[in-house]
Amino acid sequence: MELHKAIKEIVASKGAEMMTNIQIINYLLDYQAFKEKPATKLILRDVINAGYGESILALRNEQGWQTKFKQYEHEFIDSCGYKEELTVYVFESIAYALGMNVSGNEEPKIKSSFNVDSFFDIPEIDVQQPASDPQSTLQQGPDPTDLYTIALSFYNEGKYQQAKGFIEKAINTQPNASIPSHHLRLLGDIFMKMGEYEEAIKCYNECFSQKAKETQCTIDQLRESFKQHKVKGYENMMFFYFFCLYAAKRMTDAQWLQFVKSEARFGLMDAIRYCAENGINPVEDHFDIYFTDINMMCNWDYLYEDGTFAHESSNTKIAIAQIVLTDTSDYEKSQGWTHGYIIPLKIASGAWGRNMWGGDCVFKWSIDCRDLPFPHAHYTIDDINHWDELERIESEQFIKIQDYNAFPAFRAARNSHVKMPLQYASPWFLPSIHCFNRISILPSRWYGSKPDVGCWTSTQADENTAICYNEFYRRFELKKKTSEMKVLPVAAF
């Protein structure tokens, strides 16, 4: 129902005093009176909260009330900055409901004016369901959903300063823990368009954290989902985020160029548009960009036989490993390995391992269910569910073993066929469950497709069993130490 008709019906049934009561907003929601122009809900709410409803009600008994009525209109427009034709329509709808003739015999209507911003002309907005008890569902202050919708409309029209004001108000009216991720994302997009790149990066990082909570996953899993475009609607945010990193000089030209081309080849419209505007050919012949500066390193960079790195796999040099994390544990840092973890491009192989199905080699954890020497403890599956209590597991990554022949999995990791070109790197080692959990988002080439084969960790459960990671089921499992599993060596550097 149109707003002016809905107000008139409510006044007729509940009395003229409703024009001074903010509860009328909830009754109007029952009539879906704001569906046509959602911004009128904000305007009416502010009109009532500012006392104009009561002032208009008092004018009914005054001679020449039209002059003061127009004065109230202009005062409100000047102080609040709402679109004039919408504000006039709300005021005239109140007068119409109270039997005050403003437009002759005509019903109030929105009068279009020349060259007026259309940011409130929003085609659709979700309307709250009718409330059986208006008092119980009454919201104090502007609705964050309405503020977001208006901010988004401003943003789409290129009015970023106005959009920033509305979205910041929407965010500030909500507790930090309940701010929707798309609100933070819009604020980040606005900062990006305004050239405030560091502020945009902060907003995007907060958006990542909030989205992870909403989807109940870790930050690393969420980022991987973004990269693989599994989370819909955030593709352009990823592009904007990396653009801000580049504009803020946190990415090199080579890293940015590689990212843009990759996204353009994947079909992301923002990346395609950027390439077109800047004369970049995303499908040009491959060329290699090598570097030795560790500060340029990113997750999934390739390590080559000569000790150089590259963001893409080379056509001219042999890659032997990939960077899977650019941070190490406190234990590795105490040993001087502060940059990250490396894993070889192939799992361990060797004469001491049994070939599985004509492909990967598998190894026993220990040949006769031997127990690791003191102080290496036992951990149950229940322990694994409490990571915060298992920090000491990280120190088990470098287990002092006297007889490696008795522990084939550890020997296979230590004697990896991949020669380490970095002099400052650790030896290859069998990762603990804590380390494996941090690097568990890996391409499928490191895992098998069989449900009964996984990768060993260095963590034992008891004298007879150790813990492996089963990628088929994506979980840690207990296996007898004489079982045969694959080995994924890891090195810290």
Side-chain angles (χ1 to χ4, degrees), residues 239 256-265 271 274-275 280:
F239 184 81
W256 170 245
L257 187 63
Q258 183 266 338
F259 171 77
V260 170
K261 288 183 177 182
S262 174
E263 292 299 299
R265 290 193 297 269
Y274 184 90
C275 288
I280 299 171

Side-chain angles (χ1 to χ4, degrees), residues 147-410:
L147 293 170
Y148 169 81
T149 304
I150 295 169
L152 182 60
S153 184
F154 266 129
Y155 174 80
N156 290 334
E157 293 188 8
K159 297 173 177 144
Y160 304 125
Q161 193 62 49
Q162 296 94 320
K164 177 174 172 286
F166 275 98
I167 194 60
E168 285 181 337
K169 189 173 183 180
I171 290 172
N172 292 335
T173 57
Q174 304 172 81
N176 289 338
S178 61
I179 298 173
S181 60
H182 60 276
H183 286 207
L184 296 165
R185 171 195 166 187
L186 178 57
L187 183 56
D189 291 349
I190 292 168
F191 278 127
M192 189 275 298
K193 292 290 188 180
M194 296 173 68
E196 299 180 32
Y197 301 116
E198 291 293 345
E199 292 299 320
I201 291 170
K202 292 177 184 177
C203 291
Y204 288 141
N205 284 331
E206 289 184 33
C207 177
F208 280 137
S209 299
Q210 197 65 15
K211 189 65 177 178
K213 293 177 184 177
E214 294 170 1
T215 55
Q216 297 182 338
C217 67
T218 67
I219 292 292
D220 287 339
Q221 289 170 336
L222 180 65
R223 285 174 178 158
E224 191 68 20
S225 297
F226 281 162
K227 291 177 184 177
Q228 298 176 10
H229 301 271
K230 291 180 179 179
V231 179
K232 300 301 181 184
Y234 280 74
E235 294 86 353
N236 67 332
M237 173 188 162
M238 287 300 297
F239 184 81
F240 289 170
Y241 179 67
F242 279 93
F243 177 80
C244 290
L245 291 176
Y246 174 61
K249 302 188 184 306
R250 296 197 192 183
M251 288 179 70
T252 64
D253 291 344
Q255 289 174 317
W256 170 245
L257 187 63
Q258 183 266 338
F259 171 77
V260 170
K261 288 183 177 182
S262 174
E263 292 299 299
R265 290 193 297 269
F266 195 83
L268 182 63
M269 188 54 62
D270 290 287
I272 293 173
R273 186 181 300 112
Y274 184 90
C275 288
E277 291 174 351
N278 293 275
I280 299 171
N281 181 5
V283 294
E284 64 187 357
D285 293 337
H286 177 85
F287 62 93
D288 299 317
I289 302 175
Y290 305 108
F291 60 92
T292 57
D293 184 357
I294 298 298
N295 294 323
M296 295 175 60
M297 185 183 64
C298 300
N299 284 352
W300 304 111
D301 280 352
Y302 290 89
L303 172 65
Y304 294 90
E305 290 180 318
D306 61 359
T308 61
F309 299 90
H311 300 315
E312 295 182 358
S313 180
S314 171
N315 289 338
T316 58
K317 293 199 294 188
I318 299 175
I320 60 172
Q322 269 187 290
I323 315 304
V324 290
L325 280 177
T326 54
D327 185 41
T328 57
S329 71
D330 292 340
Y331 177 77
E332 277 100 11
K333 289 175 182 176
S334 70
Q335 305 299 310
W337 300 308
T338 61
H339 301 297
Y341 294 117
I342 303 173
I343 56 176
L345 292 180
K346 294 182 180 180
I347 63 172
S349 63
W352 53 83
R354 189 173 72 84
N355 195 262
M356 193 75 167
W357 300 304
D360 299 326
C361 284
V362 291
F363 306 86
K364 295 179 180 180
W365 200 85
S366 66
I367 57 175
D368 53 2
C369 292
R370 296 196 184 186
D371 203 9
L372 288 175
F374 178 82
H376 304 296
H378 298 158
Y379 301 94
T380 66
I381 291 293
D382 184 62
D383 291 331
I384 298 174
N385 295 327
H386 300 83
W387 291 108
D388 56 331
E389 301 173 11
L390 297 181
E391 293 182 359
R392 60 187 180 212
I393 289 180
E394 296 187 26
S395 65
E396 291 187 13
Q397 293 165 359
F398 300 95
I399 293 175
K400 303 275 191 286
I401 296 177
Q402 298 298 324
D403 182 12
Y404 271 95
N405 289 325
F407 295 90
F410 292 86

Side-chain angles (χ1 to χ4, degrees), residues 394-454:
E394 296 187 26
S395 65
E396 291 187 13
Q397 293 165 359
F398 300 95
I399 293 175
K400 303 275 191 286
I401 296 177
Q402 298 298 324
D403 182 12
Y404 271 95
N405 289 325
F407 295 90
F410 292 86
R411 180 178 62 179
R414 180 59 61 93
N415 297 330
S416 173
H417 62 292
V418 177
K419 184 179 180 180
M420 174 60 70
L422 304 177
Q423 295 182 352
Y424 49 86
S426 74
W428 293 107
F429 62 86
L430 189 65
S432 70
I433 56 173
H434 187 94
C435 179
F436 210 104
N437 183 61
R438 295 184 65 202
I439 64 174
S440 62
I441 303 176
L442 296 172
S444 60
R445 66 171 173 269
W446 276 285
Y447 301 121
S449 58
K450 303 294 182 180
D452 57 343
V453 176

Side-chain angles (χ1 to χ4, degrees), residues 24-89:
I24 195 173
I25 298 291
N26 291 83
Y27 289 109
L28 290 168
L29 288 172
D30 293 350
Y31 287 89
Q32 298 191 11
F34 305 113
K35 186 174 183 179
E36 185 73 19
K37 296 291 181 182
T40 55
K41 182 169 84 170
L42 295 179
I43 296 173
L44 181 60
R45 175 174 286 152
D46 286 351
V47 166
I48 294 174
N49 285 336
Y52 285 102
E54 184 176 357
S55 298
I56 295 172
L57 187 61
L59 290 179
R60 290 190 302 172
N61 300 320
E62 290 189 19
Q63 295 291 330
W65 58 268
Q66 291 88 347
T67 302
K68 281 192 176 181
F69 181 84
K70 287 296 180 182
Q71 179 183 340
Y72 295 154
E73 278 184 356
H74 291 300
E75 282 179 359
F76 183 83
I77 292 170
D78 292 341
S79 62
C80 295
Y82 286 111
K83 192 173 178 181
E84 182 174 350
E85 60 264 35
L86 290 178
T87 303
V88 170
Y89 172 65

